[in-house]
Amino acid sequence: AHCATLLLNWHEDHAIVFSRVRSHKTPTIWHGKLIRSLKLLGLLVFIVGDVIVAMNGYGSDISYVAHIFGFISGFVLGFIITRDRFQETWEKILKIVFAVIYVILLFVGVLWNIFGF
């Protein structure tokens, strides 16, 4: 879902305002490009680290297909559910398309597990 949030709000994060705990202090404003880049870097480091750990699992019974479809499911569902700061037309259409894709993949996955194709 974090990938979807980053994609949906990429252009809206121009400046990020951090309010202070003490009300008499002025809020801090950070440049959005720096925060976006740090979020993307952290996400990529996590994904690459997770893939390296998964690939070095000696003799383990890890289902790579389940992890890949879990990532796809999380991204698609995150794209549908995540709050979008400014919703454009292409994002509305893509949310509907992703909702249809998610329902189809969920239906196929349930049938696959029931009948064991």
Side-chain angles (χ1 to χ4, degrees), residues 51-76:
V51 168
I52 289 172
V53 167
M55 292 185 82
N56 288 330
Y58 302 105
S60 63
D61 294 333
I62 296 174
S63 173
Y64 297 111
V65 175
H67 279 85
I68 290 170
F69 278 103
F71 172 77
I72 293 170
S73 176
F75 179 77
V76 168

Side-chain angles (χ1 to χ4, degrees), residues 23-44:
S23 60
H24 67 279
K25 295 275 189 172
T26 58
T28 305
I29 299 176
W30 286 45
H31 197 273
K33 192 172 188 177
L34 173 67
I35 299 297
R36 286 187 307 221
S37 301
L38 289 174
K39 284 181 182 180
L40 184 61
L41 178 68
L43 190 62
L44 289 176

